[in-house]
Amino acid sequence: MTEPATLSIATPLRPISDSIANFDDIEVPIPLGWMMAGLVLSFIGVTLLMWHAHLTLDPNTPANGALLFVMALAGLIRYTYRAPKSRTQRISRDAAEYLGMFIVVVVLGALASYPVAVGTTGYVDMTLEQIDQFFRFNWVGWYDFTVAHKSLQLLGSLVYASIYLTPVILLSYFAQADRKAEARVFIASFWAAAIFTLMLFVAFPAQGPLAFLVHGPISYMPTSALYQSELIPVLRDGTFHQVSLGALRGLVCAPSFHTTSAVLYMLAAWPIRSLRWPLIALNCAMLLSVPVEGTHYLADMIGGALVALVAYAVFKFLAKRLLLRKTLDSA
């Protein structure tokens, strides 16, 4: 017969240990208030960066109105269905929240790269190329092989653009499956990865291998073109003053944010049986396109993968801490 004193201790501890052991089966979302506060702070931060770099937004681009409309629509749906009365309303509410937040993170991250570029100096292409040589990666050979095959150029440009498709699939799935914890961890991880990438961009500005390694006529102009080598100098010397939301360009060579995104997408897709292998295949294909279409060194891709793993680990840890605190509070 168990003594009463033993019961009083064992009863509350058992659900705590069981919950931690089965963490993957329990969802504790990052609080919405935290997410919104982070977005507000990010907006203020980007605004201050723009002001400090003497950059302004082009007020005449149609993308401004389109972005405001999308965000207003997402906010309206999220507010209207804040207390959903049906599954359809709940899915609409969550989809509006997830996609709206993700769009804001993407736009703010891309926009922030412009004032960050203003504060950079020099280029580290020689170092990045030396790292590639250490791993015996021949970027020029990879590029020449793509130039020789038109099908690879077309396929590469398509899968490179899938960076925008995969998150729509994932977030839509999270909304219909009522997997709020995973959705918010995914968005927060992507968000943190963007911040880490911008911080590393300050230390590792680069022109990219297309500008650094290819001399003479360019046989094939990839998706990322020569944006780093063309835009970074004019941002630094102060002759570029107005940024258009409709023409945001990728300025970060190292680390590769396409690689960061692909790794985060695959980590998010892994627990979803119906999406796991299609999205892993799609993002592996995107990774193969990154050296040429993204004009990235292999070193950029290694750095991008590490950024993704760190960001993901940070927010999985925070989610686990939330689980532990919630379990202890309810014990």
Side-chain angles (χ1 to χ4, degrees), residues 61 86 120 126 148 155 168 270 272 303 327 331:
T61 178
S86 67
T120 62
M126 181 66 73
L155 183 60
V168 173
W270 183 258
I272 309 169
T327 307

PDB file of all heavy atoms in Angstrom, residues 61 86 120 126 148 155 168 270 272 303 327 331:
ATOM      1  N   THR A  61       5.649  53.704 -55.928  1.00  0.00           N
ATOM      2  CA  THR A  61       5.602  52.328 -56.434  1.00  0.00           C
ATOM      3  C   THR A  61       4.269  51.667 -56.074  1.00  0.00           C
ATOM      4  O   THR A  61       3.794  51.789 -54.940  1.00  0.00           O
ATOM      5  CB  THR A  61       6.774  51.495 -55.880  1.00  0.00           C
ATOM      6  OG1 THR A  61       6.674  50.154 -56.358  1.00  0.00           O
ATOM      7  CG2 THR A  61       6.754  51.460 -54.370  1.00  0.00           C
ATOM      8  N   SER A  86     -16.643  28.387 -36.377  1.00  0.00           N
ATOM      9  CA  SER A  86     -16.604  27.203 -37.240  1.00  0.00           C
ATOM     10  C   SER A  86     -15.160  26.906 -37.609  1.00  0.00           C
ATOM     11  O   SER A  86     -14.266  27.746 -37.410  1.00  0.00           O
ATOM     12  CB  SER A  86     -17.418  27.436 -38.521  1.00  0.00           C
ATOM     13  OG  SER A  86     -16.794  28.435 -39.328  1.00  0.00           O
ATOM     14  N   THR A 120      28.717  48.740 -44.566  1.00  0.00           N
ATOM     15  CA  THR A 120      29.754  47.743 -44.816  1.00  0.00           C
ATOM     16  C   THR A 120      30.961  48.374 -45.496  1.00  0.00           C
ATOM     17  O   THR A 120      30.871  49.429 -46.131  1.00  0.00           O
ATOM     18  CB  THR A 120      29.217  46.597 -45.688  1.00  0.00           C
ATOM     19  OG1 THR A 120      28.804  47.115 -46.968  1.00  0.00           O
ATOM     20  CG2 THR A 120      28.029  45.916 -45.020  1.00  0.00           C
ATOM     21  N   MET A 126      37.648  36.965 -51.759  1.00  0.00           N
ATOM     22  CA  MET A 126      38.855  36.144 -51.807  1.00  0.00           C
ATOM     23  C   MET A 126      38.827  35.054 -50.730  1.00  0.00           C
ATOM     24  O   MET A 126      39.139  33.895 -50.990  1.00  0.00           O
ATOM     25  CB  MET A 126      40.093  37.024 -51.611  1.00  0.00           C
ATOM     26  CG  MET A 126      41.407  36.262 -51.666  1.00  0.00           C
ATOM     27  SD  MET A 126      41.754  35.576 -53.310  1.00  0.00           S
ATOM     28  CE  MET A 126      42.180  37.098 -54.188  1.00  0.00           C
ATOM     29  N   ALA A 148      25.874  25.505 -70.381  1.00  0.00           N
ATOM     30  CA  ALA A 148      25.824  24.549 -71.485  1.00  0.00           C
ATOM     31  C   ALA A 148      24.500  23.809 -71.585  1.00  0.00           C
ATOM     32  O   ALA A 148      24.265  23.094 -72.573  1.00  0.00           O
ATOM     33  CB  ALA A 148      26.970  23.542 -71.351  1.00  0.00           C
ATOM     34  N   LEU A 155      15.026  25.221 -65.264  1.00  0.00           N
ATOM     35  CA  LEU A 155      14.670  24.512 -64.032  1.00  0.00           C
ATOM     36  C   LEU A 155      15.251  25.217 -62.807  1.00  0.00           C
ATOM     37  O   LEU A 155      14.584  25.367 -61.784  1.00  0.00           O
ATOM     38  CB  LEU A 155      15.181  23.069 -64.102  1.00  0.00           C
ATOM     39  CG  LEU A 155      14.834  22.169 -62.904  1.00  0.00           C
ATOM     40  CD1 LEU A 155      13.329  22.049 -62.740  1.00  0.00           C
ATOM     41  CD2 LEU A 155      15.466  20.790 -63.080  1.00  0.00           C
ATOM     42  N   VAL A 168       4.163  29.257 -48.154  1.00  0.00           N
ATOM     43  CA  VAL A 168       2.706  29.316 -48.339  1.00  0.00           C
ATOM     44  C   VAL A 168       2.101  27.937 -48.099  1.00  0.00           C
ATOM     45  O   VAL A 168       1.072  27.796 -47.420  1.00  0.00           O
ATOM     46  CB  VAL A 168       2.353  29.832 -49.752  1.00  0.00           C
ATOM     47  CG1 VAL A 168       0.844  29.735 -49.988  1.00  0.00           C
ATOM     48  CG2 VAL A 168       2.821  31.271 -49.924  1.00  0.00           C
ATOM     49  N   TRP A 270       9.524  18.197 -41.971  1.00  0.00           N
ATOM     50  CA  TRP A 270       9.863  16.823 -41.592  1.00  0.00           C
ATOM     51  C   TRP A 270       8.770  16.125 -40.786  1.00  0.00           C
ATOM     52  O   TRP A 270       8.466  14.947 -41.055  1.00  0.00           O
ATOM     53  CB  TRP A 270      11.186  16.798 -40.840  1.00  0.00           C
ATOM     54  CG  TRP A 270      11.618  15.408 -40.482  1.00  0.00           C
ATOM     55  CD1 TRP A 270      11.524  14.782 -39.274  1.00  0.00           C
ATOM     56  CD2 TRP A 270      12.174  14.448 -41.379  1.00  0.00           C
ATOM     57  NE1 TRP A 270      12.001  13.502 -39.345  1.00  0.00           N
ATOM     58  CE2 TRP A 270      12.409  13.265 -40.626  1.00  0.00           C
ATOM     59  CE3 TRP A 270      12.515  14.461 -42.729  1.00  0.00           C
ATOM     60  CZ2 TRP A 270      12.953  12.124 -41.195  1.00  0.00           C
ATOM     61  CZ3 TRP A 270      13.055  13.318 -43.296  1.00  0.00           C
ATOM     62  CH2 TRP A 270      13.274  12.168 -42.538  1.00  0.00           C
ATOM     63  N   ILE A 272       5.651  16.401 -40.969  1.00  0.00           N
ATOM     64  CA  ILE A 272       4.383  16.325 -41.711  1.00  0.00           C
ATOM     65  C   ILE A 272       4.497  15.240 -42.777  1.00  0.00           C
ATOM     66  O   ILE A 272       5.122  15.436 -43.825  1.00  0.00           O
ATOM     67  CB  ILE A 272       4.043  17.689 -42.365  1.00  0.00           C
ATOM     68  CG1 ILE A 272       4.120  18.806 -41.317  1.00  0.00           C
ATOM     69  CG2 ILE A 272       2.668  17.639 -43.008  1.00  0.00           C
ATOM     70  CD1 ILE A 272       4.052  20.197 -41.921  1.00  0.00           C
ATOM     71  N   GLY A 303      27.464  28.619 -44.411  1.00  0.00           N
ATOM     72  CA  GLY A 303      27.081  29.617 -43.416  1.00  0.00           C
ATOM     73  C   GLY A 303      25.579  29.729 -43.278  1.00  0.00           C
ATOM     74  O   GLY A 303      25.046  29.834 -42.162  1.00  0.00           O
ATOM     75  N   THR A 327       3.527  23.427 -17.797  1.00  0.00           N
ATOM     76  CA  THR A 327       3.272  22.176 -17.086  1.00  0.00           C
ATOM     77  C   THR A 327       3.445  22.355 -15.590  1.00  0.00           C
ATOM     78  O   THR A 327       2.663  21.863 -14.788  1.00  0.00           O
ATOM     79  CB  THR A 327       4.208  21.071 -17.613  1.00  0.00           C
ATOM     80  OG1 THR A 327       4.095  21.002 -19.022  1.00  0.00           O
ATOM     81  CG2 THR A 327       3.836  19.735 -17.012  1.00  0.00           C
ATOM     82  N   ALA A 331       0.554  22.008 -12.600  1.00  0.00           N
ATOM     83  CA  ALA A 331       0.732  20.813 -11.746  1.00  0.00           C
ATOM     84  C   ALA A 331       0.138  21.036 -10.355  1.00  0.00           C
ATOM     85  O   ALA A 331       0.115  22.130  -9.856  1.00  0.00           O
ATOM     86  CB  ALA A 331       2.207  20.478 -11.631  1.00  0.00           C
TER      87      ALA A 331
END
